[in-house]
Amino acid sequence: MSSATGTFSAPAQVHTFDGLLSDFDGTIVDSTDAIVKHWHKFGNDLGVDPKIILATSHGRRSIDVMGIYDPTKANWDYINEVEGRIPKEYGSDAVEIPGGRDLLAALETSGARWGVVTSGTRPLVHGWLEVLGLPHPKNLVTAMDVPLGKPDPRCYLLGREQLEIEHSTSIVVLEDAPSGILAGKAAGFKVIALKTTHSLEQLQEAGADWIVEDLRSISVKGVVDGQVQIEIKNAYQ
């Protein structure tokens, strides 16, 4: 794939998977403006340039970021409280990724096996879903559920466990960040990357199987014998 000459124009293809696991921030919800404000406040309070924090924080757990800049705050009580406040304080600064609402509704109504695997906390995810009125996933892996965050694959392996298809590698992951793509690939799964927060080159380098602009390129065609049929259109080629 050469980023200089390609376009988002690949013909539609339907692929069948045992289940689907999706990242959250940058993949289903775009809360970039809210998160930028959050880290600016945190950086200013600490006397650390917020730009330095923001350069490495996306797709990583807050507890890991805090561990670098202020280890005294790197505990789950503090992280849950702070992240739970973000949707309340900056709720108007988040929107769904185009196509997100339709995809979640289709996954839910079709009976597909699906879940969310995020570097955020439960209060953060539930807060954004409430603010935006989006379906709550029955299966949810958050930052607290694993000893190491992305790019470590354990979050996605735990996601597979929640779907009750422990031995399957026929799983597709939706991601926007290189750390998440690396985690999905390390788990042995296929990865569809969204070009919502990172450059094409970064997504290619991380090893995404397909790259699309947003969730309008992903749709559920049906569920047959427990397997979900996912159509991918206008992928990068």
Side-chain angles (χ1 to χ4, degrees):
M1 290 191 294
S2 166
S3 57
T5 56
T7 56
F8 288 94
S9 59
Q13 295 179 326
V14 177
H15 297 271
T16 302
F17 302 100
D18 290 334
L20 177 147
L21 294 169
S22 179
D23 175 50
F24 188 70
D25 203 1
T27 304
I28 293 171
V29 168
D30 179 3
S31 64
T32 305
D33 291 347
I35 300 300
V36 166
K37 287 177 183 176
H38 161 67
W39 285 120
H40 267 271
K41 184 176 182 299
F42 177 75
N44 290 334
D45 289 349
L46 268 187
V48 178
D49 184 348
K51 289 187 187 129
I52 294 172
I53 302 175
L54 285 162
T56 56
S57 64
H58 189 82
R60 293 178 68 202
R61 303 185 306 170
S62 288
I63 200 162
D64 299 327
V65 179
M66 296 285 189
I68 297 167
Y69 299 105
D70 187 352
T72 65
K73 292 184 169 70
N75 64 80
W76 287 118
D77 287 343
Y78 178 78
I79 301 294
N80 276 318
E81 185 204 330
V82 168
E83 289 203 351
R85 286 203 307 259
I86 294 172
K88 295 184 179 85
E89 292 177 11
Y90 308 114
S92 59
D93 290 310
V95 293
E96 70 201 62
I97 295 293
R101 188 176 301 272
D102 290 344
L103 180 64
L104 293 193
L107 287 167
E108 198 59 23
T109 56
S110 66
R113 291 190 188 100
W114 72 285
V116 165
V117 176
T118 176
S119 297
T121 57
R122 210 164 281 267
L124 182 68
V125 173
H126 287 309
W128 286 132
L129 292 173
E130 287 295 327
V131 166
L132 295 169
L134 293 168
H136 287 250
K138 284 190 279 292
N139 302 297
L140 175 62
V141 175
T142 69
M144 281 183 73
D145 299 324
V146 286
L148 287 172
K150 302 170 185 178
D152 187 273
R154 274 175 278 190
C155 55
Y156 277 114
L157 293 172
L158 181 56
R160 175 178 67 181
E161 205 176 294
Q162 288 187 357
L163 300 184
E164 299 180 345
I165 40 175
E166 278 89 338
H167 302 296
S168 175
T169 52
S170 173
I171 290 167
V172 66
V173 164
L174 306 181
E175 267 288 354
D176 70 300
S179 59
I181 296 167
L182 290 166
K185 294 302 293 179
F189 305 156
K190 294 286 190 189
V191 179
I192 303 171
L194 279 66
K195 191 179 167 291
T196 49
T197 60
H198 289 76
S199 71
L200 193 59
E201 289 77 13
Q202 288 172 309
L203 303 178
Q204 289 172 329
E205 212 171 277
D209 296 283
W210 300 274
I211 301 174
V212 296
E213 290 184 285
D214 55 45
L215 291 176
R216 288 175 294 189
S217 290
I218 312 295
S219 56
V220 177
K221 302 312 283 182
V223 173
V224 178
D225 297 329
Q227 292 187 303
V228 61
Q229 298 172 329
I230 298 290
E231 184 183 78
I232 306 167
K233 62 186 180 190
N234 297 324
Y236 183 82
Q237 64 171 1

